[in-house]
Amino acid sequence: MRRADGESQRAVTMRDVAQAAGVSVSAVSVVLNKKEGARIGADARVRIHDAIARLGYRPNAMAKDLVTGQSRFIGLVADAIASTPFAGQIIHGAQDEAWKHGFVLLVANTEGNQDAEHEAIAMLLEHKVRGVLYSTWYHREVEVPEGLDESDCVLVNCYAAADLPAVVPDEIAGGRDATQLLIDQGHRRIGFINTTTPSPAHDGRLRGYREALAAAGIDLDPALVVEARPEQEGGYDAAALLLDQGVTGIFCHNDRVAMGLYDGLRDRGLKVPGDISVVGFDNQEVIAAHLRPPLSTVALPHYELGVAGVRVLLGLDAPASDGRVLVGCPPVERASIARPAVVPAGDPG
């Protein structure tokens, strides 16, 4: 450290604080570490705190870490969420929750590179982190990297066969809620465009769709469930298949599929929601809020996943018996849904 005149300024030590306050070094240590039961008078404590403020003393965090065996850091190792706008909210949520409890988040974004991943985990362990959050940008099963078993670890937006707690989105409830948005408007012929990619989202959202139909007394028609690439082109191509089945509302696997569906409907002279109501999934703001009309959807709770990961890591929340913490996916209702123009005969309107 240097003064304005260029001369080096010696760092303030605990001994300097003790001399300024007229107490022993051990008394300063007791006050700094907030040790209970120590017989130090109120006046001495005031003098110590005054000396700390006046001298600008900063405790040696590294020395403290060596004593306690842990630092005030929480590690987060991610495959790509720092470069994925909507999934980057996982970092935001984890960071905010860590700050609440006096921790700093150390983030390593590996872009899926295994060598970088192993190096990042090793460095976090060297820093004696309180624990590590291991996260992926989309919900999937992972193999736990080597070294994570040397620290407390929570999986975020992913899960593994290993005995580790996992914080994941509730895909089933999200699928139910998406379908329910259409049921509540009176739709009975509800199509579902699912992804062709095997994943928890594929299975969970389909199960939620089926459960919502069953709860509403609507028979499942397999012809109303189609699979398409989870991209805009997939939604465009699926439009014709479902229109041939007489649907009045369509639930899309994600917002990109819904965007393609909008184009497919428009090219056939149909309007959203006047002719067909549409619901997406993910709540990608750059898509959902800016389509015309704005898209009703279900939000992936990335911020809340980050918060929940930190809380489980710190022992503030406990997972269920299966090791999972399910985080709800809230519905976001916008202007893409309305009551069907024509209700089929015999169906309640």
Side-chain angles (χ1 to χ4, degrees):
M1 185 174 178
R2 290 187 175 275
R3 298 195 307 248
D5 59 8
E7 292 293 320
S8 294
Q9 180 177 333
R10 181 176 62 83
V12 177
T13 67
M14 198 181 299
R15 184 175 298 279
D16 295 329
V17 173
Q19 290 177 345
V23 298
S24 66
V25 173
S26 61
V28 176
S29 176
V30 166
V31 171
L32 286 172
N33 291 295
K34 300 179 181 179
K35 294 181 180 177
E36 297 181 2
R39 296 182 178 178
I40 298 177
D43 181 63
R45 291 178 183 272
V46 170
R47 295 201 309 275
I48 291 170
H49 285 298
D50 286 347
I52 289 170
R54 188 171 69 255
L55 299 176
Y57 173 72
R58 297 172 65 95
N60 187 325
M62 291 187 65
K64 186 175 182 180
D65 294 346
L66 291 173
V67 173
T68 63
Q70 287 183 339
S71 69
R72 303 301 291 180
F73 294 129
I74 290 174
L76 188 151
V77 177
D79 62 353
I81 63 175
S83 55
T84 307
F86 68 96
Q89 286 294 309
I90 291 177
I91 294 176
H92 190 187
Q95 183 172 267
D96 285 353
E97 190 65 20
W99 272 114
K100 281 185 185 178
H101 304 286
F103 287 87
V104 173
L105 193 70
L106 298 180
V107 179
N109 189 51
T110 66
E111 296 296 335
N113 183 300
Q114 287 192 344
D115 291 338
E117 190 172 79
H118 292 153
E119 185 68 20
I121 292 170
M123 292 181 68
L124 291 173
L125 294 176
E126 288 176 5
H127 278 80
K128 297 183 180 294
V129 291
R130 170 62 181 80
V132 177
L133 305 179
Y134 182 79
S135 184
T136 54
W137 78 269
Y138 71 94
H139 183 190
R140 62 187 175 92
E141 184 174 8
V142 296
E143 290 189 13
V144 178
E146 183 180 348
L148 279 184
D149 58 351
E150 297 179 32
S151 174
D152 290 341
C153 177
V154 175
L155 305 178
V156 178
N157 207 31
C158 56
Y159 63 96
D163 186 22
L164 285 176
V167 175
V168 295
D170 192 340
E171 304 280 7
I172 297 172
R176 280 199 306 267
D177 288 342
T179 309
Q180 192 65 45
L181 287 173
L182 294 165
I183 292 172
D184 288 346
Q185 289 291 334
H187 293 272
R188 308 284 290 180
R189 295 289 290 174
I190 300 171
F192 177 37
I193 306 175
N194 205 358
T195 178
T196 53
T197 306
S199 64
H202 172 283
D203 298 342
R205 294 173 197 180
L206 176 59
R207 179 176 165 185
Y209 164 79
R210 289 172 169 166
E211 289 182 358
L213 294 181
I218 302 172
D219 292 335
L220 175 68
D221 183 348
L224 302 190
V225 179
V226 300
E227 291 191 351
R229 289 171 298 162
E231 304 290 343
Q232 186 172 356
E233 294 79 5
Y236 185 92
D237 294 340
L241 297 175
L242 289 174
L243 290 175
D244 288 344
Q245 298 297 325
V247 298
T248 62
I250 300 174
F251 164 32
C252 300
H253 173 79
N254 65 28
D255 296 343
R256 288 169 292 162
V257 169
M259 180 166 58
L261 178 63
Y262 268 45
D263 292 338
L265 295 174
R266 187 178 300 112
D267 285 354
R268 289 166 176 80
L270 299 174
K271 294 182 178 180
V272 178
D275 297 303
I276 301 289
S277 289
V278 179
V279 174
F281 205 109
D282 288 354
N283 196 32
Q284 293 191 42
E285 286 287 337
V286 70
I287 297 175
H290 298 288
L291 285 174
R292 291 293 176 266
L295 177 67
S296 296
T297 186
V298 171
L300 278 175
H302 289 104
Y303 181 91
E304 292 77 10
L305 288 170
V307 170
V310 170
R311 292 187 63 82
V312 172
L313 184 69
L314 297 179
L316 301 172
D317 292 335
S321 58
D322 64 356
R324 306 277 177 94
V325 172
L326 296 178
V327 180
C329 303
V332 181
E333 189 169 348
R334 297 191 178 99
S336 66
I337 56 176
R339 296 191 67 78
V342 178
V343 179
D347 281 344

